[in-house]
Amino acid sequence: MTEPTDIGRDGVEKVDEVHSCACGNGGHKKLKEWYEAYLYPYKVTTEEVWNDDLNEEEVEERVQNGIEIVQNLGLRYLWIDSLCIIQDSEADWLEESVRMSTVYSGSTINIAAAGALDGSRGCFLKPERYIGKIQIKAERDGHQTAWDLAPAESCYSVDNSNLARRARALQERILSPRNLHFTETGIFWECKELNASETFPKGLPSQITEENYALKKGSISEKWYWIIEAYTKAELTYGKDKLLALSGIAQAMHEENGDQYLAGLWRHDIELQLCWYRPFDYNMSPGFIVEPYRAPSWSWASVDGPIQCKRMLLHKEESHYCAHVLDAYVTPSGPDPYGQLCGGSITIGCEFLLSGLLRRQDCASGMFPKWEMVSSADTEIMPDIAIYMDYDVVDHTNVFMLPVYHYYQYPHIMELIGLVIQKSNNGKDEYRRVGYFEFGPGLIGEALSDIDKAIKDDHAQNLQKTKTENFGKLCVITLV
């Protein structure tokens, strides 16, 4: 039901086809609805699919503000989630989600009521007497100098806004060619040419734009790791939509690079992408195995909460893969190849596996549990190893450590990262990921010596080049 709203001179009404947006100014206006459908005073439901003109008095203030903004900009068509998608129909949502990349990227501009707590607040939130900055002028040696002084937090009003906490809002900001954010400290503008605000109309300070990936120019591929970290920090009402709410960005990135999309990861350099992890956070609740099925265990989409990626290691010199993905596939559960899944696996060839027991370390009540790796006999602790679990598991669980990436953090200081895996209980010869590990430079055991020897013997290079040929002594396992 992708039908934008016509807000022309003759009143507000629905248009029959989305391609109607191609007339007039050559685009449609996207107004972001960030909160949940049941909060909408006016929404399209299965029983209330509207065919008549829309009464502006019946919609909330935020939508009325959006209509006013669009009219002042000289545009005619407005696309609003709650009016263009049937809110209580999962079938309609699944159908429309496939088109989201086109809706956002094909719009003229995206309007975001970023600071509004709900629809009753509207878009215009800045207090009348708000002062965004002051300017100090001084003269020295006949030359006049001026400094603009502004509260630092005001420059981050968009990133720290209520809207930014909603995971669904991220792809609209990334895909739209222009964004107009309404916050409590004023209006912010983003496009490919300029990032500005009411306070800094000629452009935001460089220290703000340089550290914010959302404002960086360039392709989506260059921002992917940042996108994943930002997306997983945000809130998603329905966990089953974890991949679906990001499908528009994934589709756009596939159009850029043509790579195979695999449950939030990409086939190129997938080995390093497998090394995502949930950071130690003593205020974060332990994870858990998500039900119903959402994604394979090796995908970050299989867990809730923020994750971090090892993006700084990409193309790092003096680094080597200890494992290589030989085959990978996912099975979509619907029409969107970038959306919900019902299955998937990867086949990995690796140098070796380390076996042992996970033992819970003593920690204060309510803290995120920490783990240590001990030998199978529960006697010897493996030193200098940090274990980041994807979710809480039973104490003294049998696990394997799958080395993935070996690099030198500093000259002569070697580090090793990889996955903590466990035998799957599906009755097949398969494994599932349960965590991530890092071997620190203090470990001088046989494991790292073996890796060094393997590299010198060109086993690692052969591993990276080999697809389905003879693996020799390599261990081949399947992760689901």
Side-chain angles (χ1 to χ4, degrees):
M1 189 184 170
T2 307
E3 298 168 344
T5 306
D6 186 348
I7 53 173
R9 296 180 180 179
D10 297 331
V12 179
E13 61 181 22
K14 178 191 71 172
V15 298
D16 293 331
E17 299 290 345
V18 68
H19 59 68
S20 298
C21 296
C23 66
N25 289 307
H28 60 277
K29 192 85 161 187
K30 173 72 180 63
L31 176 62
K32 172 59 193 158
E33 306 260 356
W34 72 264
Y35 49 92
E36 300 311 315
Y38 60 82
L39 292 176
Y40 301 155
Y42 193 101
K43 64 180 181 179
V44 178
T45 66
T46 305
E47 301 298 327
E48 300 168 343
V49 176
W50 51 286
N51 294 303
D52 300 320
D53 288 355
L54 174 63
N55 185 351
E56 294 182 51
E57 296 180 357
E58 294 181 1
V59 300
E60 58 202 13
E61 182 179 355
R62 182 191 42 77
V63 176
Q64 293 182 35
N65 290 165
I67 293 173
E68 178 184 352
I69 294 166
V70 173
Q71 291 174 331
N72 287 333
L73 289 174
L75 299 176
R76 181 172 179 178
Y77 297 102
L78 176 64
W79 195 98
I80 307 175
D81 297 39
S82 62
L83 302 183
C84 299
I85 298 178
I86 301 176
Q87 298 297 304
D88 61 350
S89 171
E90 183 174 1
D92 194 56
W93 162 238
L94 291 174
E95 181 180 353
E96 296 302 326
S97 66
V98 181
R99 307 173 184 173
M100 290 298 96
S101 177
T102 302
V103 170
Y104 304 141
S105 61
S107 67
T108 298
I109 191 171
N110 175 55
I111 303 173
L117 185 61
D118 57 49
S120 66
R121 294 289 305 279
C123 294
F124 307 115
L125 304 171
K126 188 181 74 172
E128 291 185 7
R129 298 185 178 182
Y130 177 80
I131 299 176
K133 71 177 178 180
I134 59 175
Q135 189 174 77
I136 298 177
K137 296 182 178 180
E139 186 172 327
R140 183 178 181 180
D141 299 331
H143 296 88
Q144 192 175 72
T145 305
W147 291 272
D148 290 329
L149 302 180
E153 61 271 15
S154 66
C155 296
Y156 299 95
S157 296
V158 175
D159 292 326
N160 297 332
S161 67
N162 292 309
L163 179 60
R165 300 189 186 104
R166 309 302 295 179
R168 291 186 184 278
L170 181 62
Q171 68 174 357
E172 302 179 10
R173 184 181 184 186
I174 296 295
L175 295 177
S176 298
R178 305 169 189 86
N179 289 293
L180 197 59
H181 302 276
F182 289 81
T183 76
E184 294 178 331
T185 62
I187 301 174
F188 287 74
W189 170 267
E190 296 171 357
C191 70
K192 296 180 179 179
E193 300 295 329
L194 181 68
N195 298 299
S197 68
E198 286 186 71
T199 304
F200 296 98
K202 294 183 179 181
L204 295 176
S206 58
Q207 60 265 37
I208 303 297
T209 58
E210 289 174 0
E211 68 183 28
N212 191 330
Y213 275 82
L215 303 180
K216 285 183 179 292
K217 307 301 186 291
S219 66
I220 294 176
S221 301
E222 296 172 347
K223 303 178 181 179
W224 182 255
Y225 286 103
W226 171 85
I227 288 172
I228 297 307
E229 292 182 359
Y231 179 71
T232 56
K233 288 179 183 176
E235 300 171 0
L236 193 63
T237 303
Y238 302 107
K240 62 182 178 63
D241 293 338
K242 189 87 170 186
L243 291 171
L244 195 62
L246 194 69
S247 62
I249 294 180
Q251 181 180 347
M253 183 165 165
H254 174 73
E255 293 172 357
E256 283 183 4
N257 59 25
D259 201 2
Q260 181 184 8
Y261 185 62
L262 296 161
L265 286 68
W266 298 90
R267 187 63 177 85
H268 181 66
D269 284 326
I270 191 175
E271 290 83 4
L272 191 56
Q273 295 174 64
L274 290 172
C275 295
W276 56 267
Y277 62 98
R278 300 183 66 189
F280 288 136
D281 187 339
Y282 291 96
N283 296 316
M284 183 175 66
S285 300
F288 53 88
I289 300 177
V290 177
E291 297 291 348
Y293 183 89
R294 178 194 299 174
S297 66
W298 41 265
S299 166
W300 53 262
S302 65
V303 300
D304 291 320
I307 65 103
Q308 292 184 4
C309 307
K310 304 298 289 188
R311 62 176 182 269
M312 300 305 294
L313 299 180
L314 194 62
H315 307 307
K316 185 178 179 65
E317 294 182 3
E318 296 298 322
S319 61
H320 303 273
Y321 284 115
C322 309
H324 188 78
V325 173
L326 309 172
D327 190 24
Y329 81 92
V330 293
T331 304
S333 60
D336 186 0
Y338 309 98
Q340 294 177 345
L341 302 175
C342 59
S345 74
I346 57 175
T347 302
I348 301 180
C350 56
E351 294 285 347
F352 59 88
L353 295 175
L354 298 176
S355 63
L357 298 174
L358 275 182
R359 188 167 68 186
R360 187 192 300 267
Q361 292 179 311
D362 294 333
C363 57
S365 176
M367 287 188 172
F368 190 72
K370 299 184 69 174
W371 300 85
E372 59 187 6
M373 185 78 166
V374 299
S375 64
S376 299
D378 199 9
T379 56
E380 183 180 353
I381 299 176
M382 293 187 180
D384 299 312
I385 181 171
I387 300 175
Y388 301 77
M389 296 304 295
D390 298 341
Y391 49 85
D392 205 359
V393 297
V394 178
D395 197 10
H396 285 72
T397 296
N398 285 296
V399 296
F400 297 90
M401 290 194 169
L402 168 60
V404 174
Y405 196 73
H406 157 234
Y407 65 99
Y408 285 89
Q409 183 68 24
Y410 304 101
H412 310 297
I413 298 181
M414 188 192 315
E415 295 197 13
L416 176 71
I417 62 176
L419 310 182
V420 182
I421 63 175
Q422 191 176 43
K423 191 77 172 179
S424 177
N425 58 4
N426 61 6
K428 301 179 181 179
D429 189 21
E430 297 174 338
Y431 297 80
R432 59 178 294 111
R433 171 187 161 136
V434 294
Y436 160 86
F437 74 85
E438 294 179 352
F439 270 145
L443 185 66
I444 317 288
E446 294 183 358
L448 294 185
S449 297
D450 288 345
I451 294 175
D452 269 339
K453 183 178 184 300
I455 293 171
K456 293 176 181 177
D457 292 342
D458 290 331
H459 285 301
Q461 294 182 12
N462 291 334
L463 180 60
Q464 294 182 44
K465 297 176 182 177
T466 303
K467 294 296 182 180
T468 56
E469 297 92 4
N470 180 23
F471 297 114
K473 297 181 180 180
L474 297 182
C475 176
V476 180
I477 63 171
T478 298
L479 284 181
V480 295

